[in-house]
């Protein structure tokens, strides 16, 4: 009874902390002062974003805490740990920074606004069916989304988890995690996007961001001895339908190698190990590996391979009859051993239309890496060992250093192909990257982002002082 009575007060306190922290970084002392960790004597971090001293707070430094990058509710008293507060500070700082970026140039669009509108066009909060792009068309709408949807959705998620776990989870703890230090795939994705957008802007668009262009990536990769996917150099191709006549059913494609818009490639086939874990007629199924580069913190310094770290790996096992592995079961892979762990999906975030609001139509959340077999054929996947995982990770680490050491986080699409001449190749890169629900060492990740925030906030304050106009 006492817990039920205290619950509204706990939720209200967390909500107040969210608003205070958000406004602290939006236009308060956090906006106009250096970003410094609480341990620094000149830090302006308010007391409510500092971990309590003593007790279990120090337990977060153990590997058992740091290695858990999602499902934080399973960690006892997680919201009292330094890791939680570190995550909360970085989340709130970057969330407030999105409004600073809103009308400023983006590395792949004329503005951050245009990039986020495009990225949100096919994404909806599960069960709503409404594309999030509807709510970010201007600053007031986006501000309203942050200030209203964030606490409401966090509250619903907290109660939903409590019901799903039959009371094993704590509503107040889960609410604090969802609102202040969210560990779901969407929040990590947006955090990575905001860091990339801020970093590119303040560093005047370092050349590494050009790798987002698929043709630039292939061309530069070939020049720098990076094993990118092969492409044809013929100036153009003609594609004809075998039965249509009268000038119909004929298409002309000018190759990017000759100044055109199309990259012309032979189709790549899955290698034997990949095929063993897929149903028939499955698409090319890749591994998404995320790397971080400490060389991006100060782009004026030379970056060594040792400055790049592979954080996570996910095997995207494509579905039967799908054209690409965007429709896939995402199996987490242990980056230390190569062992394939449980699988899951985030497809419920991409279900649009008002019918998705109907009860039972769209699941609120997916299984928490509970899938062990590919559903199309009941093919066992979990427990398998990815061959030569260390070689794969070293490949993307060296490729990050060669192609874009000045970019903080990169998502690599790695192919294990049937081509004996090129058994492993890189399909493309994503610089506003998505972990695809892969696990990673959160302490390593957050320490890196904190160092990035320290550097970027310093650069932002200098830009403010100089009245810099970004182009």
């Amino acid at each position: 009874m006492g817990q039920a009575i205290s619950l509204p007060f706990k939720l209200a306190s967390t909500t107040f902390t969210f608003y205070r922290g958000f406004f602290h970084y939006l236009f308060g002392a956090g906006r106009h002062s250096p970003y410094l960790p609480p341990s620094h004597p000149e830090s302006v971090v308010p007391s409510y974003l500092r971990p309590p001293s003593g007790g279990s707070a120090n337990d977060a430094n153990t590997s058992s805490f740091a290695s858990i990058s999602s499902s934080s509710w399973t960690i006892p008293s997680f919201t009292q740990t330094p890791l939680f507060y570190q995550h909360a500070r970085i989340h709130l700082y970057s969330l407030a920074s999105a409004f600073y970026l809103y009308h400023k140039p983006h590395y792949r669009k004329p503005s951050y606004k245009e990039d986020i509108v495009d990225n949100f066009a096919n994404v909806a909060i599960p069960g709503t069916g409404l594309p999030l792009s509807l709510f970010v068309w201007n600053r007031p709408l986006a501000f309203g989304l942050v200030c209203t949807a964030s606490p409401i959705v966090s509250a619903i998620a907290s109660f939903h988890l409590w019901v799903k776990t039959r009371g094993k989870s704590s509503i107040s703890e889960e609410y604090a995690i969802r609102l202040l230090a969210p560990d779901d795939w969407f929040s990590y994705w947006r955090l990575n996007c905001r860091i990339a957008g801020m970093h590119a802007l303040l560093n005047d668009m370092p050349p590494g961001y050009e790798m987002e262009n698929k043709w630039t990536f292939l061309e530069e990769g070939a020049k720098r001895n990076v094993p990118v996917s092969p492409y044809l150099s013929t100036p153009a191709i003609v594609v004809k339908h075998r039965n249509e006549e009268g000038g119909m059913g004929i298409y002309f494609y000018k190759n990017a190698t000759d100044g055109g818009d199309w990259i012309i490639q032979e189709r790549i086939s899955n290698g034997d190990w990949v095929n063993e874990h897929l149903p028939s007629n499955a698409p090319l199924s890749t591994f998404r590996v995320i790397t971080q580069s400490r060389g991006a913190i100060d782009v004026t310094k030379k970056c060594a391979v040792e400055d790049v770290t592979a954080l996570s790996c996910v095997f995207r096992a494509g579905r039967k009859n799908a054209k690409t592995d965007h429709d896939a079961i995402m199996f987490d892979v242990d980056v230390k051993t190569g062992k394939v762990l449980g699988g899951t999906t985030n497809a419920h975030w991409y279900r649009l239309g008002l019918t998705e609001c109907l009860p039972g139509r769209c699941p609120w959340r997916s299984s928490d890496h509970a899938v062990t077999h590919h559903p199309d054929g009941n093919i066992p996947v979990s427990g398998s060992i990815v061959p030569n995982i260390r070689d794969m990770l070293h490949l993307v680490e060296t490729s990050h250093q060669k192609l874009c050491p000045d970019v903080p986080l990169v998502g690599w699409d790695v192919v294990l192909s049937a081509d004996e001449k090129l058994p492993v190749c890189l399909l493309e890169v994503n610089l506003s990257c998505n972990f695809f629900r892969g696990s990673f060492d959160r302490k390593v990740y957050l320490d890196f982002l904190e160092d990035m925030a320290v550097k970027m906030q310093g650069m932002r304050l200098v830009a403010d002082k100089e009245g810099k106009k970004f182009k």
Side-chain angles (χ1 to χ4, degrees):
M1 179 63 72
Q3 291 183 346
I5 295 175
S6 65
L7 179 61
F9 297 98
K10 291 179 179 178
L11 299 185
S13 176
T14 297
T15 306
F16 189 40
T17 296
F18 170 74
Y19 286 130
R20 285 197 294 174
F22 175 61
F23 292 132
H24 169 77
Y25 289 116
L26 183 63
F27 49 65
R31 168 64 183 88
H32 304 289
S33 303
Y35 185 102
L36 299 171
S39 59
H40 195 283
E42 298 180 10
S43 173
V44 297
V45 173
S47 59
Y48 53 85
L49 292 179
R50 294 172 180 259
S53 58
S56 62
N58 294 325
D59 293 342
N61 292 321
T62 64
S63 59
S64 60
F65 280 78
S67 61
I68 299 177
S69 51
S70 61
S71 302
S72 300
W73 69 272
T74 61
I75 304 174
S77 301
F78 177 70
T79 58
Q80 300 301 307
T81 64
L83 199 63
F84 169 80
Y85 284 91
Q86 183 185 29
H87 193 161
R89 291 191 301 273
I90 293 170
H91 171 65
L92 293 171
Y93 169 78
S94 71
L95 189 61
S97 297
F99 294 89
Y100 171 80
L101 293 171
Y102 194 78
H103 286 301
K104 291 182 173 62
H106 190 267
Y107 66 88
R108 61 184 176 191
K109 295 286 182 179
S111 71
Y112 179 82
K113 170 201 167 179
E114 293 182 52
D115 188 71
I116 195 172
V117 167
D118 286 351
N119 271 284
F120 279 6
N122 66 338
V123 181
I125 296 172
T128 66
L130 298 173
L132 286 172
S133 57
L134 295 175
F135 306 99
V136 293
W137 273 101
N138 56 47
R139 268 204 189 106
L141 271 177
F143 183 79
L145 179 71
V146 170
C147 292
T148 59
S150 294
I152 291 172
V153 171
S154 297
I156 295 172
S158 305
F159 279 95
H160 181 271
L161 181 64
W162 182 77
V163 172
K164 184 178 180 181
T165 61
R166 299 181 180 181
K168 292 181 180 179
S169 67
S170 165
I171 294 175
S172 60
E173 289 266 321
E174 175 66 3
Y175 181 68
I177 292 167
R178 290 294 118 237
L179 191 57
L180 300 176
D183 58 2
D184 57 278
W185 80 270
F186 178 83
S187 297
Y188 280 133
W189 171 46
R190 295 317 307 166
L191 175 55
N192 291 345
C193 290
R194 294 189 294 265
I195 293 296
M198 179 78 82
H199 178 269
L201 177 76
L202 294 171
N203 285 283
D204 298 318
M205 308 298 172
Y209 284 94
E210 296 175 7
M211 296 303 118
E212 187 82 24
N213 181 298
K214 293 177 174 61
W215 170 237
T216 301
F217 167 72
L218 293 177
E219 190 175 36
E220 290 301 313
K223 290 178 181 176
R224 304 181 198 185
N225 295 318
V226 172
V228 295
S229 55
Y231 54 87
L232 303 179
S233 57
T234 183
I237 61 169
V238 179
V239 180
K240 298 180 181 179
H241 191 279
R242 62 181 180 178
N243 287 325
E244 293 191 27
E245 297 180 0
M248 296 185 295
I250 183 169
Y251 304 93
F252 299 85
Y253 298 94
K254 186 176 181 180
N255 203 335
T257 59
D258 203 49
D261 293 329
W262 300 94
I263 298 171
I264 302 173
Q265 300 174 293
E266 292 184 5
R267 184 173 181 175
I268 302 173
S269 299
N270 291 311
D272 291 341
W273 186 93
V274 175
N275 274 330
E276 290 172 4
H277 299 89
L278 298 177
S280 59
N281 201 31
L284 182 68
S285 296
T286 62
F287 292 81
R288 165 56 63 89
V289 182
I290 303 293
T291 53
Q292 68 178 33
S293 169
R294 285 196 158 271
I297 296 175
D298 186 345
V299 299
T300 64
K301 296 181 179 179
K302 187 176 181 179
C303 176
V305 175
E306 294 74 24
D307 295 324
V308 181
T309 304
L311 291 174
S312 67
C313 179
V314 170
F315 171 45
R316 298 190 293 190
R319 303 298 300 270
K320 184 180 179 68
N321 298 324
K323 292 183 178 180
T324 70
D325 62 1
H326 288 86
D327 183 6
I329 305 299
M330 301 178 293
F331 288 91
D332 192 15
V333 177
D334 188 325
V335 293
K336 294 180 180 179
T337 65
K339 183 178 181 179
V340 181
L341 307 174
T344 187
T345 179
N346 62 357
H348 54 304
W349 280 81
Y350 294 91
R351 295 176 64 162
L352 305 180
L354 294 180
T355 57
E356 299 300 333
C357 301
L358 298 175
R361 176 72 178 177
C362 179
W364 179 255
R365 66 178 79 219
S366 60
S367 61
D368 192 8
H369 294 91
V371 180
T372 60
H373 289 59
H374 197 296
D376 303 329
N378 198 34
I379 305 166
V381 180
S382 294
S384 297
I385 303 297
V386 178
N388 304 316
I389 184 69
R390 189 57 248 172
D391 291 343
M392 179 195 295
L393 300 182
H394 183 65
L395 169 62
V396 294
E397 288 170 344
T398 56
S399 298
H400 194 157
Q401 188 266 339
K402 288 180 179 180
L403 293 174
C404 45
D406 47 9
V407 176
L409 293 155
V410 176
W412 304 85
D413 291 339
V414 185
V415 177
L416 299 186
S417 79
D419 187 346
E420 294 182 356
K421 296 181 180 179
L422 194 65
V424 182
C425 68
L426 305 178
L427 206 59
E428 60 183 55
V429 294
N430 298 269
L431 309 184
S432 292
C433 51
N434 180 347
F435 282 107
F436 284 105
R437 301 193 67 180
S439 62
F440 53 91
D441 190 316
R442 181 158 36 174
K443 182 63 175 170
V444 171
Y445 171 68
L446 292 178
D447 283 349
F448 171 66
L449 293 191
E450 191 165 62
D451 291 342
M452 288 290 304
V454 170
K455 180 67 174 180
M456 292 190 301
Q457 179 64 7
M459 297 178 71
R460 178 156 60 154
L461 294 176
V462 171
D464 290 343
K465 185 177 180 180
E466 296 176 349
K468 183 175 181 178
K469 303 295 183 182
F470 295 98
K471 299 179 181 180

